[in-house]
């Protein structure tokens, strides 16, 4: 199978390689009931040593910078209550943490979650967190430009491997809220 974007040696439909995915992501693919069929989700096997965006696009093609998204975990705090949320933005942008995210979460203060909170809460590896398979109840804030893209490359839950999904699938993720301007230059 050829991946819809990028130049990858090994690409397969994600439902055909659940054993390559960590448990929460495999469970999410298995249980997917969105309008975009899970059979359109593509898993590409990649070298974990080049998982970070800058090195990854240098190796697999600069065009992937515009065709990929990062999923970052933030912690919003109001009083004694902390809310973890995922933010999905195009890789060439940054999350508007102190503006749109803070306002949407109704938090007094928002920061990027520390590594232990992000990985422990999600069950995923740092540097590979994906919005697919996050804990129930976590808001998943998605920049509208991600949803508008034909195909989007995103982490697979671990540093080895990536997922390629139709952009519109991100709007169907559990807890998803599509926001204009979440990613800023």
């Amino acid at each position: 199978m050829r991946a819809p974007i990028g130049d990858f040696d090994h690409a397969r439909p994600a439902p055909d390689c659940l054993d390559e995915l960590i448990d929460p992501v495999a469970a999410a693919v298995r249980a997917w009931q969105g309008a975009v069929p899970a059979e359109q989700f593509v898993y590409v096997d990649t070298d974990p040593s080049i998982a970070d965006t800058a090195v990854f696009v240098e190796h697999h093609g600069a065009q992937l910078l515009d065709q990929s998204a990062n999923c970052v975990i933030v912690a919003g705090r109001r009083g004694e209550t902390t809310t973890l949320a995922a933010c999905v933005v195009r890789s060439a942008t940054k999350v508007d943490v102190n503006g749109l995210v803070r306002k949407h979460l109704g938090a007094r203060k928002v920061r990027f979650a520390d590594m232990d909170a992000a990985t422990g809460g999600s069950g995923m590896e740092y540097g590979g967190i994906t919005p697919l398979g996050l804990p129930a109840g976590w808001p998943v804030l998605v920049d509208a430009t991600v949803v508008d893209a034909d195909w989007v490359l995103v982490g697979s839950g671990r540093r080895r491997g990536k997922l390629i999904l139709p952009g519109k699938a991100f709007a169907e993720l559990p807890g998803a809220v599509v926001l204009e301007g979440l990613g800023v230059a």
Side-chain angles (χ1 to χ4, degrees):
M1 165 182 208
R2 179 146 176 78
I5 58 173
D7 184 24
F8 300 98
D9 294 331
H10 305 285
R12 299 184 300 173
D16 294 350
C17 55
L18 297 175
D19 56 325
E20 300 288 333
L21 302 172
I22 62 166
D23 290 341
V25 177
V29 170
R30 200 177 295 111
W32 182 259
Q33 294 187 2
V36 175
E39 290 73 26
Q40 289 186 19
F41 297 0
V42 177
Y43 173 79
V44 292
D45 189 31
T46 59
D47 180 350
S49 69
I50 61 166
D52 293 324
T53 303
V55 180
F56 189 84
V57 298
E58 183 179 307
H59 184 81
H60 288 287
Q63 77 282 2
L64 286 176
L65 186 60
D66 293 327
Q67 298 171 320
S68 61
N70 289 326
C71 178
V72 296
I73 307 302
V74 297
R77 188 169 178 91
R78 183 167 201 81
E80 297 300 313
T81 304
T82 299
T83 301
L84 292 177
C87 298
V88 183
V89 298
R90 293 285 188 103
S91 294
T93 65
K94 297 182 185 308
V95 178
D96 183 10
V97 174
N98 292 313
L100 196 54
V101 174
R102 187 176 62 77
K103 181 179 176 181
H104 184 79
L105 294 179
R108 187 170 209 79
K109 182 176 182 174
V110 177
R111 61 176 170 72
F112 292 103
D114 64 44
M115 186 168 63
D116 290 339
T119 58
S122 69
M124 300 181 196
E125 292 179 9
Y126 191 75
I129 294 175
T130 185
L132 191 62
L134 290 172
W138 279 27
V140 178
L141 310 180
V142 183
D143 187 82
T145 63
V146 172
V147 175
D148 292 341
D150 290 335
W151 294 97
V152 179
L153 178 99
V154 70
S156 68
R158 50 186 219 152
R159 290 185 64 84
R160 170 168 223 109
K162 301 282 186 186
L163 292 171
I164 301 172
L165 309 176
K168 58 188 171 188
F170 288 87
E172 299 182 29
L173 292 166
V177 177
V178 179
L179 299 171
E180 294 283 343
L182 180 62
V184 292

